Structure formats: structure tokens, C-alpha cells
Amino acid sequence: MVGLVTGRAYKVSDLFTALLTISANDAAIALTQATGSFGEGMAAINAEARYLQADDTVAVDPDGLDAPGQHTSAYDLALVARQALKLPAFLTYDQTRSARFVVARRKAVELYNQNSLLTTYPGAVGGKIGWTSAAGATYVGMATRHGVTPVSYTHLTLPTILRV
């Protein structure tokens, strides 16, 4: 969590930065609600999953934490990541190494990207780390080698290269 304050307005770009650098769950909820309502936002998320043919995905909460009825697959995460690679704005947020986030008038926090592979893995383009009780540690990552950018999904220590 980045520490959002109820009733305060935030820039969508700042919320995306918090979401993709530190996995700010409160930013995910705020972005979902920004569609008009939480329900409308969740409907949009699930509609996008259907559009991408991510048929193993049902989103109940936007933060990706465990929730009854919520599920996805490594294949679907790769589909979403492949789509994200096409969006320059996504890459800008995802590749942000650090940023200042103004939480309230007199409070700001520094955000540092939790994806250490961005600075340690040659050719790293981006990715997203995650952890839930049900899934354990996960990572969806992208790196470019010889002009090719495969999407890798790692669950614990078992890497799987998915060609989508």
C-alpha cells in the first residue's frame, strides 16, 4: 500500500506508478473505482480478460490478492503481459526505478521498483512480482534477446517460457 487518504484526489499516472513499482493494492482499488464504481471497474477488468481470450481468469478484486472465486493461469498472465508490451505507457510505469508519491499535502513517500531484475538481468524490459497465500511467490517478466521478447512466468523456482 502506498497509503492513500480517503477523499483525496490523485493523478491516474501516479496511481499507475505506485501500482507497478510497489504493487500498491490501494492504488489498484482506486483505479478500479475511478471507472465510476468498483463494480464497473471489475466488469471492465473481466471484459478485457475475455477480449484477450484469457479464459482461465476471473477477477474478483483488482489487487490480485486471494479472493473466493478469483483465479488465473500462467498462460493468461502471459497473454496480459504480451498485451502490456504493446502499450508504451505501461512500459513507462513498469520501468520506473523510483518515484516520489505525494500521499497528502504534507506527506510524500519514495517508491522503489520491487522488480530487481530490471537492473540485474541483461535485456530486462519489465515485469511484475507477486505473492499470495494461494499462489506463493510469482513473477511475470519480459526480456529482449536477439530482437525477441518472450514472456516468462515463474512460480517459485520453476521457470516456464510461454510463447504466446
Side-chain angles (χ1 to χ4, degrees), residues 22-46:
I22 67 163
S23 298
N25 297 333
D26 51 353
I29 292 167
L31 286 164
T32 302
Q33 293 171 333
T35 62
S37 73
F38 185 85
E40 288 177 56
M42 291 311 301
I45 289 168
N46 284 298

Side-chain angles (χ1 to χ4, degrees), residues 117 120-125 142-151 161 163:
L117 290 180
T120 61
Y121 189 81
V125 174
M142 296 83 69
T144 299
R145 292 273 173 92
H146 310 293
V148 177
T149 306
V151 175
I161 299 297
R163 299 187 194 284

